[in-house]
Amino acid sequence: MTKKNRNHELTDAAAVAAHYGEPGVLARDKTMTRLDKYARQFIACAPFMVMATASSNGDLDASPKGDAPGFVRIIDEVTLAIPDRPGNRRADGAYNIVASGRIGLLFMIPGMNETLRVNGRASITTEPILLEQLVAQGKPPVAAYLVAVEEVFLHCAKALVRSKLWDRNRHMDRSEFPPLGHMIAEQIGADDRDAVEASVQDSVKNKLY
């Protein structure tokens, strides 16, 4: 950042408040501490969410999670259970959660421009009875994230309206990007990019659950 740009940097809460102003009553008061009927309905209909976590020293991760609508189980009005399906074993979110216990969720429903945000504390469990309740395609998840809800609120449609996320006329032609395996092969310096792509496709087709 140049010296000139630093002169315009917002460096503390007072500067942020002065620049953005105070939130309106609606934005300020809509935050709840429990899952009301609309939050429950939203989660029950959502096949996709983004799970954000942070380590104790500030390392961040935002990971997409998806399955059949309602894949996140509502235990009660202040508790959620998120199945963690088999993946690449990086477990970035899991490491962050055991370090900080913090989590943020953004739920999305295809065709709906509003989203639902949930923030709270999280832990990881391998409790067999709970995992059996999260079975998909006949298989339990590797583990489950238990979320103790602290904040929950609906988020307005502006971002998705601006992006036209659900507008099929705006969907790009996938051929504009190489296959994922080819891109990863180039990034890591692998010689056989087709072998890497075959591994990626095998994971998607045969190792979802």
Side-chain angles (χ1 to χ4, degrees), residues 181-202:
H182 290 186
M183 291 188 283
I184 292 175
E186 182 176 338
Q187 290 170 338
I188 67 176
D191 293 328
D192 192 342
R193 65 178 192 170
D194 289 333
V196 177
E197 173 62 11
S199 176
V200 169
Q201 292 303 318
D202 176 67

Side-chain angles (χ1 to χ4, degrees), residues 70-176:
F71 72 100
V72 174
R73 184 177 180 83
I74 301 169
I75 304 298
D76 55 43
E77 62 183 3
V78 292
T79 313
L80 297 173
I82 305 168
D84 193 20
R85 307 291 177 197
N88 58 16
R89 301 183 183 178
R90 283 183 56 112
D92 299 291
Y95 284 115
N96 284 347
I97 285 172
V98 297
S100 72
R102 303 300 302 172
I103 197 167
L105 310 174
L106 176 67
F107 290 91
M108 303 174 71
I109 301 173
M112 185 169 181
N113 287 325
E114 294 77 16
T115 55
L116 181 75
R117 292 167 60 177
V118 177
N119 299 313
R121 302 200 64 82
S123 59
I124 308 174
T125 181
T126 59
E127 205 280 315
I129 294 177
L130 177 60
L131 297 191
E132 282 299 318
Q133 296 173 3
L134 299 172
V135 165
Q137 301 298 314
K139 296 182 180 180
V142 175
Y145 301 110
L146 283 176
V147 179
V149 174
E150 294 179 342
E151 292 183 318
V152 54
F153 55 94
L154 292 161
H155 193 106
C156 76
K158 290 177 184 175
L160 272 69
V161 169
R162 292 185 188 116
S163 66
K164 294 183 169 60
L165 184 63
W166 309 125
D167 185 350
R168 295 188 61 85
N169 294 322
R170 300 267 297 221
H171 290 186
M172 68 172 291
D173 185 340
R174 181 60 182 82
S175 65
E176 293 181 24

Side-chain angles (χ1 to χ4, degrees), residues 14-50:
V16 172
H19 183 75
Y20 285 95
E22 295 297 324
V25 173
L26 186 62
R28 184 191 64 211
D29 293 349
K30 67 179 181 178
T31 302
M32 303 175 292
T33 58
R34 297 175 180 272
L35 301 166
D36 75 339
K37 63 179 182 180
Y38 297 117
R40 288 169 176 255
Q41 182 181 5
F42 203 108
I43 294 169
C45 293
F48 179 82
M49 71 162 186
V50 177

